Amino acid sequence: MSGPGAAGLRAQRLDSGLLAAEEAPAAAPVAFLQELPSYRSVQRRRAAAAGGAREPPPVPPHRAAGAAPAARAPRERPLPLAEKRRLREFQQADIKYLSGWNQWKRSSRKSWKKVFDEAKEVLSYLELWRHDIHSIEGKFGTGIQSYFSFLRFLVLLNFVIFTLMFSFVTLPSIISKYGIFNSSFDEIPAKSIEPHCTVYTPSGNKGLIYFYTYPKDLLSGTGFLEMTSLFYGYYTIDAAWISIFRYNLPLAYLLTTFAYLALSLLWIIKRSVEGFKQNLVHDEDQFQSYCNKVFAGWDFCITDLNAARLKHRSLQYELKTDLEEERLKQKIADRTMKDKLRIYSLRIFLNIIVLAVLSGCFYSIYRATVFSQGNISNNGNNMNFEANLLVQYLPSIVITLANFIAPQIFSVLIRLEDYSPAFEIRLTLMRCVFVRLANIGVLLFSLWSQISYCATEKCKACGYNYELYPCWESQVGQEMYKLLIFDFIIIVAVTLFVDFPRKLLVTYCSCKPVQWCGLQEFGISDNVLEIIYGQTICWIGTFYSPLLPAIATVKYFIVFYIKKISLIHTRKPSARPIRASSSNFFFLVVLLIGLILAFIPLGISIAHIPSSKACGPFRNFNTSWAVVPHTILGFPTGLQKVLYGIASEAFAVPFFMVICLVMFYFIALAGAHKRVVEQLREQLVMESRDKLFLIRKITEAQKHT
């Protein structure tokens, strides 16, 4: 017998002989190995599991590679380099025995993988602020780098939202109004609507225009900006005709709103899952935490000497914090009933103060909004420039003051509540998040209370206060516009008029009070809450001002460079460290809370509050949502029945039950994975005990010799 078959038979016999030779010495009993803790644990488990199936013998590496050469690349296996080379040689030898089709598939797969890797590498050079973020990471570590990466994510998110709104809402309106591409538009006259509800006279610039009028309009969104494509009132067409294609603008406006909210939700969840995986890995017990800080706590991305010294202090601070938490745990365990009553009574009293501070903030915002709206409507044109601008920005000023004063009070109160340092930080941050996001909700509630207030029958016929708010959506959009602009002005003003003078004083003044104050810290959490507050405003305001995401994109683009200059030249990194993995996850969770908050007012506005009858794409509908059933009525009868069936309880209840079953399945799967992880941890502990046992045996053997 000759040829390849004979060679394969000889190779098989040779492998069998080698395996037998390898198994012969392994079969020799070693008495002390049977005394290993892991061996005894396995014996106990086997005795407990009666009737268990016997595990198959391990497959040699080259056999596994020969059986499935393309299952896993050698470089991905956790093996030494020499073993990886041997595996690659076996895989390359097995390729010769594959068919021509399989060889072509393997080579084409490798070629495409190489092309994709090279394309991904080229695209990485086009990544926004790639060099700047790597430079920040090298000088200040991964914690501060996570803030700038988060800021880049918001720039990209707002740019995508702007692209959606401009492509599906703004661009069709502009094309149809100016007759581009032989297009036209339809404006269906209002039916069954009182004539006084359709009167809308924008406060444009008429007659003599003062030099300060245009800056005031740019800051407040009124005047010449009110009837531009920036605000809701501009989009008055019902359908755009481009050649023979009819474009339903009201439906497109509503669906695009749902699209950008859904896109934001999915994108945030995707990034949150990645951060949650990293956060789960770092969620260790206290002993592992000490080991990780001592042996694996250094950030090798740091290249700057001052940043290295800061990292040393950060690790020292973390160890002190852990020891302080252990001391507090022991103190809590030793508390008597009298001590518990005292501390719980103090916490209840301090939380009452927190609620009082929140109530004061909310009431101040409500009164400022009512006062501002009333004065603008009654005598806005009779006031001078400064007074008019102050009245228009009064709600924004009060909200900014509340966002500044309330966290300072919370930081003082939290020290009296006797919590652990880590819990102090989390609780203070959550209170600050609640203040910032709830202030927006109070502002919208104040506006809607004014919009829905009707004292006459003519007003009730419209469904809203048509005298003060003939196009209330545009006016809500103006409030969101002013909040976004004022937030940007505050960021620039703090950097120019607070941080830079403080830097000059610390550098050139040797007075002890000035040196004791030092430079302002670059607080990562405070800066993140600042931009999340602005992003929540953008999400809410995009429905009322479709081009607001473009302004947010430009704003965050400029804020990136402002914060970078501030970090490098006028501020110092925070003494309290923050881990990049946990911070990324926390940032996205808070951003998700802001998005959920944006869902509530938008949902109420779309489904409950009557739409303006004098402007906007929904002026012929009672509410914005009414365009959906109106569009469904134009579908074929069969499709209508299908859609109504999907929206009925007969479909919703079984669908909910299926979702519950799927959820329970994944919960059970997560529990099984958790048990596997616990077993692997136990295995690691047993391996460490085996090593200690073997070291002890070797030491005893050396003593006897």
Side-chain angles (χ1 to χ4, degrees):
M1 188 175 183
S2 61
L9 184 60
R10 285 195 298 272
Q12 186 177 1
R13 290 175 179 174
L14 182 59
D15 288 345
S16 301
L18 289 173
L19 287 174
E22 291 175 359
E23 291 175 358
V30 182
F32 78 94
L33 290 178
Q34 296 181 356
E35 300 178 7
L36 289 171
S38 59
Y39 181 81
R40 293 180 178 179
S41 177
V42 170
Q43 289 295 107
R44 287 195 299 270
R45 289 181 181 177
R46 287 181 178 177
R54 185 178 178 182
E55 295 182 358
V59 181
H62 64 276
R63 284 292 183 188
R72 193 176 179 187
R75 70 174 63 182
E76 297 177 0
R77 293 174 180 267
L79 296 172
L81 186 60
E83 189 68 21
K84 290 182 179 180
R85 288 174 179 170
R86 192 167 68 87
L87 275 174
R88 187 175 62 182
E89 291 173 0
F90 276 114
Q91 289 182 357
Q92 291 177 353
D94 290 337
I95 292 174
K96 300 177 182 179
Y97 300 103
L98 295 175
S99 63
W101 172 251
N102 290 332
Q103 289 185 15
W104 180 83
K105 284 199 304 182
R106 184 183 178 88
S107 61
S108 62
R109 185 164 54 246
K110 290 179 67 176
S111 301
W112 279 110
K113 187 176 183 300
K114 186 176 180 181
V115 169
F116 287 142
D117 290 341
E118 291 178 353
K120 190 175 181 180
E121 185 177 357
V122 171
L123 289 175
S124 67
Y125 289 101
L126 302 177
E127 191 176 11
L128 183 64
W129 298 320
R130 178 174 178 269
H131 176 73
D132 294 327
I133 291 179
H134 284 177
S135 175
I136 291 170
E137 183 181 17
K139 290 182 179 179
F140 303 102
T142 56
I144 293 179
Q145 175 264 341
S146 64
Y147 164 74
F148 287 93
S149 298
F150 182 69
L151 190 57
R152 177 176 61 188
F153 164 68
L154 290 184
V155 170
L156 296 176
L157 177 63
N158 283 299
F159 180 75
V160 173
I161 295 174
F162 161 70
T163 304
L164 281 174
M165 296 300 293
F166 183 80
S167 301
F168 294 101
V169 177
T170 306
L171 189 60
S173 299
I174 295 174
I175 289 175
S176 61
K177 283 192 174 183
Y178 288 95
I180 304 173
F181 303 123
N182 194 23
S183 59
S184 60
F185 63 91
D186 292 339
E187 286 190 0
I188 302 173
K191 298 178 181 179
S192 303
I193 297 176
E194 296 294 332
H196 61 269
C197 299
T198 61
V199 177
Y200 175 44
T201 306
S203 57
N205 298 323
K206 300 176 182 178
L208 182 62
I209 299 174
Y210 294 98
F211 68 93
Y212 55 78
T213 303
Y214 287 111
K216 179 180 73 70
D217 293 342
L218 283 173
L219 290 174
S220 60
T222 56
F224 75 95
L225 279 179
E226 189 168 351
M227 283 308 294
T228 61
S229 57
L230 179 61
F231 293 110
Y232 173 92
Y234 172 82
Y235 304 92
T236 57
I237 66 175
D238 294 285
W241 288 92
I242 303 174
S243 185
I244 60 172
F245 176 72
R246 185 180 185 272
Y247 190 79
N248 190 343
L249 185 68
L251 183 64
Y253 198 106
L254 187 64
L255 293 182
T256 308
T257 301
F258 293 155
Y260 83 74
L261 292 173
L263 174 68
S264 302
L265 179 63
L266 294 176
W267 202 345
I268 293 172
I269 289 176
K270 180 181 178 297
R271 290 177 65 95
S272 299
V273 169
E274 296 173 358
F276 178 72
K277 291 177 182 177
Q278 298 178 6
N279 197 31
L280 193 63
V281 171
H282 291 283
D283 190 16
E284 65 274 322
D285 57 27
Q286 203 62 36
F287 178 73
Q288 290 174 329
S289 175
Y290 289 136
C291 293
N292 288 339
K293 287 182 177 65
V294 173
F295 297 107
W298 186 252
D299 190 351
F300 288 94
C301 295
I302 295 176
T303 58
D304 185 69
L305 181 60
N306 293 327
R309 291 172 181 165
L310 178 68
K311 185 64 179 177
H312 278 290
R313 293 197 297 269
S314 298
L315 289 173
Q316 185 180 9
Y317 169 79
E318 285 188 0
L319 291 172
K320 286 182 178 179
T321 303
D322 290 341
L323 293 174
E324 180 67 17
E325 288 186 358
E326 291 295 320
R327 187 189 66 80
L328 285 175
K329 288 179 182 178
Q330 186 63 37
K331 179 182 175 181
I332 292 171
D334 296 338
R335 279 177 183 166
T336 61
M337 184 59 66
K338 183 179 178 181
D339 294 333
K340 291 180 180 179
L341 289 174
R342 180 187 61 81
I343 193 65
Y344 290 150
S345 302
L346 179 61
R347 287 176 182 174
I348 292 172
F349 175 72
L350 293 176
N351 278 282
I352 292 174
I353 296 177
V354 170
L355 293 176
V357 171
L358 292 175
S359 302
C361 292
F362 297 159
Y363 182 75
S364 301
I365 294 169
Y366 175 78
R367 295 305 306 171
T369 306
V370 172
F371 176 80
S372 174
Q373 296 296 313
N375 279 271
I376 291 172
S377 302
N378 294 331
N379 55 356
N381 297 325
N382 299 327
M383 293 186 290
N384 56 23
F385 169 69
E386 295 83 1
N388 190 7
L389 194 63
L390 179 63
V391 169
Q392 290 198 16
Y393 269 89
L394 187 60
S396 302
I397 294 172
V398 173
I399 288 175
T400 303
L401 289 175
N403 292 340
F404 175 75
I405 295 173
Q408 304 299 326
I409 298 175
F410 296 157
S411 61
V412 173
L413 295 178
I414 196 68
R415 297 171 188 169
L416 305 175
E417 295 184 69
D418 200 13
Y419 290 117
S420 64
F423 188 76
E424 279 185 9
I425 295 173
R426 287 195 292 267
L427 183 58
T428 305
L429 287 176
M430 292 310 298
R431 284 173 176 173
C432 295
V433 169
F434 180 76
V435 168
R436 286 180 176 270
L437 300 184
N439 286 341
I440 304 173
V442 173
L443 173 65
L444 293 173
F445 172 77
S446 305
L447 286 172
W448 286 335
S449 65
Q450 297 293 306
I451 292 168
S452 59
Y453 175 74
C454 287
T456 62
E457 293 298 326
K458 294 177 67 176
C459 176
K460 292 178 181 178
C462 299
Y464 59 93
N465 192 343
Y466 74 97
E467 295 177 348
L468 296 180
Y469 304 96
C471 185
W472 65 264
E473 290 92 345
S474 289
Q475 288 171 288
V476 173
Q478 289 170 1
E479 291 298 326
M480 298 295 106
Y481 173 83
K482 286 186 284 188
L483 281 176
L484 201 65
I485 296 297
F486 191 73
D487 184 55
F488 176 69
I489 292 173
I490 291 297
I491 293 173
V492 176
V494 168
T495 304
L496 291 178
F497 303 114
V498 177
D499 291 344
F500 271 108
R502 185 170 180 174
K503 169 70 174 180
L504 293 175
L505 284 175
V506 172
T507 305
Y508 297 105
C509 183
S510 58
C511 300
K512 288 186 178 180
V514 174
Q515 295 299 321
W516 179 77
C517 292
L519 294 176
Q520 177 72 24
E521 289 187 350
F522 189 86
I524 299 175
S525 301
D526 296 337
N527 283 279
V528 167
L529 294 181
E530 188 177 73
I531 60 176
I532 289 176
Y533 164 75
Q535 184 58 39
T536 306
I537 293 171
C538 179
W539 276 323
I540 297 173
T542 301
F543 180 76
Y544 310 103
S545 177
L547 297 186
L548 200 63
I551 300 174
T553 303
V554 176
K555 171 194 168 184
Y556 288 137
F557 190 88
I558 299 173
V559 165
F560 180 90
Y561 291 101
I562 292 175
K563 293 298 181 181
K564 179 187 174 185
I565 294 171
S566 176
L567 172 65
I568 295 174
H569 297 290
T570 65
R571 293 198 178 196
K572 62 180 180 180
S574 177
R576 287 190 171 186
I578 184 167
R579 187 191 294 143
S581 59
S582 60
S583 61
N584 282 326
F585 179 66
F586 173 75
F587 299 162
L588 292 167
V589 168
V590 177
L591 187 63
L592 189 61
I593 295 173
L595 179 60
I596 293 172
L597 176 67
F599 285 160
I600 298 172
L602 285 177
I604 295 173
S605 174
I606 291 171
H608 179 68
I609 300 179
S611 56
S612 296
K613 305 302 185 291
C615 67
F618 306 106
R619 65 188 185 283
N620 291 321
F621 302 99
N622 188 31
T623 60
S624 302
W625 176 254
V627 69
V628 175
H630 179 268
T631 305
I632 292 176
L633 290 176
F635 291 166
T637 307
L639 184 57
Q640 289 185 33
K641 291 181 179 179
V642 171
L643 293 176
Y644 286 132
I646 292 175
S648 64
E649 296 179 358
F651 177 82
V653 173
F655 180 76
F656 178 74
M657 293 178 65
V658 170
I659 292 296
C660 290
L661 290 175
V662 172
M663 182 181 65
F664 290 145
Y665 166 75
F666 280 108
I667 291 174
L669 190 63
H673 289 167
K674 185 177 180 180
R675 287 192 294 272
V676 170
V677 170
E678 291 175 354
Q679 291 177 1
L680 291 174
R681 285 182 176 176
E682 291 177 2
Q683 185 177 352
L684 289 174
V685 173
M686 297 304 298
E687 287 182 1
S688 64
R689 292 178 182 175
D690 289 348
K691 291 176 182 178
L692 292 174
F693 176 78
L694 292 174
I695 291 171
R696 188 170 64 251
K697 286 293 184 181
I698 292 171
T699 306
E700 292 176 358
Q702 289 176 349
K703 287 180 180 179
H704 289 307
T705 56

